[in-house]
């Protein structure tokens, strides 16, 4: 295994950890708003690490560009969908969860 | 929606070609430059161009290259922080959340800049936009102890820099949302 393989696998594993943390957040967080935080932010970062790891193993520049475009499209989709779902929840009167004090 | 028919055909054709070129470039990259893929790609590039012209006939904004670089650097740094923050909150046994709905007085005026601001803050630590009404952005915050006002002003400055816009003197402040259940009544 070359050094690049080690770094690549390491980055992909870190990415997977963020996907797991994001999914744990969706399960553990108490309401739609907090879950949206977990989904959008953790997946964006997780995919970023996976894309970096895969880019190290790419055979050609166009594959690297494809990975970058894929990441960019997912980020834009997440950043757009998150606020839209949050707005729909708010305007339809979904109460945000509060820590009882 | 502005009437695109008032504009000269030359401008419309130029706009059409520009957007078609962008969509074609995206397809070319996604299809890994395979020539045969145009059989599928070309119709969708055309559809995407038509949809884009229908939805936003006129762009009406410019991006400043240096501002874009500064925005990108800021975004990468802050969105990494955002991912770490929420991942740690998700896995810590104490589930450290103290959410609040806050309102931010916008200093950016143009619609496109406000939309980019709302999208951007949704990937930064602890903030999630939940709509813009008048000059106020409503957001859900994961933890009220986060320095939300400072970070909102910083993002707004980066977005203004990206589009080459000036910020209003008013706004830039945070207040708690009076109505718990959100803005349905407002």
């Amino acid at each position: 295994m070359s050094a690049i393989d080690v770094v690549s696998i390491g980055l992909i594993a870190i990415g997977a950890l963020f996907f797991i943390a994001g999914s744990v957040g969706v399960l553990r967080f108490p309401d739609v708003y907090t879950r949206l935080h977990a989904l959008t932010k953790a997946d964006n970062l997780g995919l970023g690490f996976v894309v970096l790891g895969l880019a190290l193993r790419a055979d050609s520049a166009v594959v690297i560009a494809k990975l970058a475009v894929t990441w960019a499209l997912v980020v834009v989709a997440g950043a757009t969908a998150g606020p839209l779902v949050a707005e729909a929840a708010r305007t339809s009167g979904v109460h945000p969860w509060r820590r009882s004090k | 929606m502005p009437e695109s028919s008032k504009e000269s055909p030359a401008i419309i054709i130029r706009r059409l070609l520009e957007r078609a070129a962008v969509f074609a470039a995206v397809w070319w990259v996604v299809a890994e430059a395979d020539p045969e893929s145009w059989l599928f790609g070309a119709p969708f590039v055309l559809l995407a161009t038509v949809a884009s012209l229908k939805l936003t006939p006129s762009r009406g904004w410019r991006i400043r290259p240096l501002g874009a670089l500064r925005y990108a650097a800021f975004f990468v740094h802050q969105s990494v922080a955002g991912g770490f923050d929420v991942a740690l909150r998700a896995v810590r046994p104490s589930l450290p959340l103290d959410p609040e709905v806050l309102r931010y007085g916008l200093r950016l005026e143009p619609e496109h800049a406000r939309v980019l601001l709302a999208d951007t803050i949704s990937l930064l630590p602890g903030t999630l936009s939940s709509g813009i009404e008048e000059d106020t952005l409503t957001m859900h915050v994961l933890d009220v102890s986060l320095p939300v006002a400072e970070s909102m002003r910083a993002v707004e400055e980066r977005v203004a820099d990206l589009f080459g816009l000036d910020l209003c003197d008013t706004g830039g402040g945070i207040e708690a949302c009076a109505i718990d259940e959100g803005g349905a009544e407002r």
Side-chain angles (χ1 to χ4, degrees):
Chain A
M1 218 163 49
S2 71
I4 284 188
D5 284 338
V6 174
V7 176
S8 167
I9 291 168
L11 286 169
I12 294 170
I14 292 172
L17 283 179
F18 278 100
F19 275 106
I20 293 169
S23 309
V24 168
V26 170
L27 293 171
R28 288 188 75 207
F29 283 0
D31 68 357
V32 60
Y33 306 102
T34 46
R35 286 173 178 161
L36 281 170
H37 282 273
L39 262 187
T40 49
K41 296 189 236 291
D43 283 12
N44 160 39
L45 187 54
L47 187 64
F49 277 111
V50 171
V51 158
L52 275 182
L54 290 174
L56 287 178
R57 308 170 69 91
D59 318 317
S60 64
V62 75
V63 173
I64 295 176
K66 179 182 180 175
L67 289 165
V69 167
T70 307
W71 177 74
L73 291 175
V74 170
V75 168
V76 171
T80 308
L84 287 178
V85 175
E87 180 168 8
R90 180 174 66 85
T91 52
S92 56
V94 177
H95 292 245
W97 175 88
R98 293 258 161 76
R99 187 166 285 286
S100 45
K101 283 167 186 153
Chain B
M1 192 167 287
E3 275 294 322
S4 52
S5 57
K6 282 180 197 155
E7 292 171 313
S8 78
I11 290 181
I12 295 174
I13 289 170
R14 195 188 145 178
R15 193 176 289 152
L16 189 144
L17 290 177
E18 274 175 5
R19 295 195 193 182
V22 170
F23 291 124
V26 170
W27 177 265
W28 186 79
V29 166
V30 168
E32 296 183 22
D34 177 0
E36 280 180 37
S37 75
W38 287 109
L39 199 62
F40 293 104
F44 284 103
V45 166
L46 201 68
L47 283 175
T49 308
V50 171
S52 141
L53 288 171
K54 283 265 177 210
L55 292 170
T56 41
S58 153
R59 194 169 60 157
W61 43 267
R62 290 191 158 274
I63 286 176
R64 298 200 307 180
L66 274 179
L69 276 181
R70 285 189 286 264
Y71 170 86
F74 175 85
F75 175 77
V76 167
H77 175 234
Q78 289 295 309
S79 66
V80 167
F84 267 97
D85 174 72
V86 81
L88 284 176
R89 288 178 197 277
V91 297
R92 279 170 71 179
S94 61
L95 204 63
L97 300 176
D98 193 2
E100 190 56 73
V101 178
L102 299 177
R103 288 154 71 179
Y104 178 75
L106 289 162
R107 295 181 296 167
L108 286 166
E109 272 178 333
E111 180 86 26
H112 63 270
R114 290 178 165 187
V115 170
L116 181 66
L117 175 74
D119 281 18
T120 305
I121 65 155
S122 302
L123 291 176
L124 301 195
T127 46
L128 171 69
S129 165
S130 60
I132 294 170
E133 280 111 15
E134 312 263 311
D135 295 324
T136 304
L137 184 146
T138 307
M139 68 185 127
H140 184 269
V141 178
L142 267 188
D143 188 339
V144 278
S145 63
L146 289 166
V148 177
E150 289 84 345
S151 105
M152 287 300 295
R153 284 194 289 270
V155 188
E156 219 174 15
E157 277 151 26
R158 291 277 68 83
V159 172
D161 181 33
L162 170 75
F163 291 118
L165 299 167
D166 293 323
L167 294 169
C168 296
D169 297 332
T170 55
I174 284 283
E175 54 175 287
C177 194
I179 303 162
D180 246 14
E181 52 273 48
E185 295 88 337
R186 259 187 302 117

